Structure formats: C-alpha cells, structure tokens
Amino acid sequence: MLLSHLREQVLEANLELVRRGVVVFTFGNVSGISREDGLVAIKPSGVPYEELTAEQIVVTDLDGRLIDTNLRPSSDLPTHLELYKAFPNIGGVAHTHSEFGTAWAQAKRPIPCLGTTHADYFHGPVPVTPDMSADEIAGAYEKATGEVIVRTFRDLDPDAIPAVLVAGHAPFCWGRDAADAVHNAVILEYIARMATHTMAVNADAKPLARALHDKHFYRKHGPGAYYGQPGSG
Ligand SMILES: [Zn+2]
C-alpha cells in the first residue's frame, strides 16, 4: 500500500476525532502530508468512521489528482491543499463542526485569549475569516475557503496560531502532523467552550495581559521552551 505509514496515521487521527467527541456522523475530516513525496492522505468522502480502514484513506497530489485509489476524497480536500501550499511547516489539517468552536464561527467572533490554556496553544485570538463573496461560493467553493483562510493569515503566523474559524461554517485546525492537528482541534473546542462560559459569567471579561500570554506561549514554543520533556514536542 502506497504511503502505508501516513495512511495509518491519518486513519488513527480521524478515529481520534470521534473518540474525543468533536464530530458527529461523518462530519469532519483529517489529512496529513508527506512533504518529501508531495502527497496528501485524507479521509474518503461519506464513509462512516466505524468502517474506515487505512486502505480507504485517499492519497492525492497537491493538485488534488488521485493516486492509487477508487474512493472519492473528502469534499473539503481543496481547502486542505490550499493550507498545505501556503503554510510550509504544517504536516496535518483537521476540520470539525465541534459545538463551541462552530458557535463562535457562526457568531463571527474571534475567540479572545482569556486564560493561560488558550495562551499555551495560540499566540493571540483565534481569528475569523471574512465572509466569502457570492462568486467564491458559487465557484470552486472549497478552494476559495482555503484561500480566504490564507488571506486571513496574511499578517498572522500560522505556526503560532494553528486554527481559524471560517465565518458561518466551522473551525479548521492544523499542526506538525495529523495527530497534532487533531490535538489542536480538541484544544480549540475546549478553549471555545471556556470562553463561552467566561463571557457568560462576565460579559466584560478582558483578554489576558500580554506578559502572561507571552510567558505561557513561549515556555511551550520556540527556542526558549522549557515545558514538558526534551524532545517531547
Ligand atoms: Zn465543514
């Protein structure tokens, strides 16, 4: 089987989405990329998670041409491909309609950094894309979704903020590999839920002070990181 290791990783990452309770039915999809081969592995379209096997994981090139498969890829594939092309350090993408993340996407509100849990993972608010135009929606919609995400990150670092809320739709998250993208998707849902509760308790709650935000982010990321065990990522 071509890219069997990557396919197994992508299968496992898709199943992890289900185990963590961030998808219902066949909503959601995870992909991973082999930068060496220029090939992407992604969940097939519409196959129930409980029936999913590594052989069914679809492999395509960065132009979406199918390699060694007779199943159709997730319809969101063109969005994933735009992210891989624009964000050179990412190795996995996860898309869910998780409840609280989607609520913020529908409200078209960026998730402010209200606490250190958010700061540990996202170096700033989780942004919301602008609305897509009627032409973008009528045309190559999934590709245009990727393009609007990339535009949203024109002045942001996708390695420091590994998630976005697509306005009126739902979150897309990414990471070093497929498993890391799913990890970030689960954390995004958690911080979205906590932000909702925080704003319910105090609608005037203020974002975390910059110094505390930076302290938490940089103790886990970058050259000065000291959180966790060496090499554990
Ligand atoms: Zn979606």
Side-chain angles (χ1 to χ4, degrees):
M1 180 171 64
L2 178 72
L3 294 178
S4 56
H5 182 64
L6 181 66
R7 276 168 143 158
E8 292 285 354
Q9 277 186 344
V10 168
L11 170 67
E12 179 55 29
N14 275 284
L15 297 178
E16 179 71 359
L17 277 188
V18 180
R19 287 195 291 266
R20 297 287 176 178
V22 288
V23 297
V24 292
F25 295 111
T26 62
F27 292 179
N29 42 71
V30 185
S31 69
I33 186 169
S34 165
R35 293 281 179 188
E36 238 182 0
D37 301 298
L39 295 175
V40 171
I42 190 166
K43 181 173 167 280
S45 184
V47 175
Y49 285 93
E50 57 270 24
E51 294 171 14
L52 203 56
T53 65
E55 288 76 17
Q56 291 173 323
I57 298 295
V58 175
V59 175
T60 86
D61 66 15
L62 277 165
D63 295 318
R65 278 187 288 262
L66 302 184
I67 317 275
D68 185 30
T69 183
N70 45 23
L71 288 173
R72 285 164 56 195
S74 161
S75 52
D76 291 320
L77 171 69
T79 311
H80 293 233
L81 297 180
E82 290 307 306
L83 300 184
Y84 287 125
K85 284 189 263 190
F87 303 160
N89 298 328
I90 70 172
V93 173
H95 172 52
T96 79
H97 290 192
S98 65
E99 184 177 354
F100 285 87
T102 301
W104 283 76
Q106 292 183 170
K108 301 180 187 175
R109 292 276 300 273
I111 305 173
C113 179
L114 295 165
T116 63
T117 324
H118 181 127
D120 283 338
Y121 285 87
F122 304 98
H123 195 217
V126 176
V128 186
T129 65
D131 285 327
M132 292 165 69
S133 70
D135 281 350
E136 286 175 318
I137 294 163
Y141 167 65
E142 291 82 7
K143 184 174 195 288
T145 301
E147 289 167 349
V148 78
I149 294 171
V150 172
R151 282 204 301 279
T152 303
F153 276 78
R154 200 163 18 207
D155 299 316
L156 296 173
D157 178 0
D159 299 327
I161 303 175
V164 69
L165 307 174
V166 176
H169 182 176
F172 277 83
C173 304
W174 47 86
R176 288 187 307 275
D177 54 24
D180 193 43
V182 168
H183 186 94
N184 288 335
V186 173
I187 296 293
L188 176 83
E189 176 61 9
Y190 186 66
I191 60 138
R193 186 162 64 231
M194 286 197 293
T196 307
H197 294 326
T198 304
M199 302 303 280
V201 173
N202 178 5
D204 296 324
K206 294 288 177 284
L208 207 59
R210 194 75 236 175
L212 190 54
H213 193 157
D214 283 350
K215 176 72 182 172
H216 270 263
F217 185 79
Y218 288 117
R219 69 180 193 154
K220 285 189 77 161
H221 306 270
Y226 61 86
Y227 179 91
Q229 301 303 317
S232 66

